[in-house]
Amino acid sequence: MPTTKRRRDATPPRTGSGETATLRAFLDYLRASIAAKVDGAPEPQVRTAAVPSGTNLLGLLNHLTFVERSMFLGADVTDWQATFRAAPADSVADVVTRYRETVERANEVLDRYTDLGEPVPQAKRPAPSVRWALVHMIEETGRHAGHADILRELIDGATGR
């Protein structure tokens, strides 16, 4: 078992300025947490499955990049299982950068919405509301951030958000 390296925990956001601000702040908090968890993880362990399902740390972030693109940028994903694997040529920095750039583009799209009841731009119809998409992305990102916490600790002992 690797020695534990403890990172300082980032505290959850303190919001009170309305539903939209609260949802977006929690999503951004989780996005930053999982990107930080993957950033700097060592090769080849970042690609190595540590559980029987085959899940690996880099694949989780690659998958979330595709989920963000599908949910907020209207991308059509035909093979969700394939999104859990980063390309062999992609470095950790490549995947982290691509995720952060996708999040930035998704936030630009979200900035255009003032009504949480409006549909998000999706290839599939009927598209869910912005509210539903934000809640789903909080759930999806939070779930995978928890997986990432465990996988990163197994890799090099790093803990913390």
Side-chain angles (χ1 to χ4, degrees):
M1 179 70 151
T3 23
T4 300
K5 300 174 207 163
R6 181 115 178 109
R7 251 186 354 180
R8 185 178 169 162
D9 273 349
T11 58
R14 300 254 185 252
T15 63
S17 56
E19 182 181 14
T20 301
T22 301
L23 292 172
R24 290 199 54 192
F26 271 89
L27 179 55
D28 283 339
Y29 164 72
L30 290 168
R31 288 164 160 170
S33 293
I34 194 164
K37 188 62 67 173
V38 176
D39 199 15
E43 291 277 6
Q45 297 93 328
V46 72
R47 296 172 192 277
T48 304
V51 293
S53 67
T55 302
N56 66 74
L57 189 57
L58 198 60
L60 283 176
L61 195 62
N62 192 67
H63 169 71
L64 282 173
T65 302
F66 281 91
V67 177
E68 290 273 352
R69 288 176 182 164
S70 173
M71 191 59 61
F72 298 124
L73 305 176
D76 188 22
V77 178
T78 57
D79 185 356
W80 283 106
Q81 279 306 114
T83 68
F84 281 97
R85 293 180 302 279
D90 284 343
S91 69
V92 173
D94 292 336
V95 175
V96 170
T97 298
R98 192 165 35 250
Y99 177 72
R100 287 180 172 147
E101 288 171 350
T102 299
V103 164
E104 187 177 318
R105 288 180 31 226
N107 278 338
E108 288 169 1
V109 168
L110 286 168
D111 288 344
R112 295 184 213 133
Y113 288 91
T114 56
D115 179 358
L116 291 176
E118 290 182 72
V120 292
Q122 276 205 348
K124 297 176 191 160
R125 295 291 176 230
S129 69
V130 173
R131 178 181 292 105
W132 186 93
L134 286 168
V135 171
H136 172 66
M137 288 305 300
I138 290 167
E139 173 271 328
E140 180 86 1
T141 307
R143 177 175 184 238
H144 292 313
H147 297 145
D149 285 341
I150 293 166
L151 293 174
R152 183 65 190 259
E153 187 172 357
L154 289 171
I155 289 170
D156 63 4
T159 62
R161 287 183 274 203

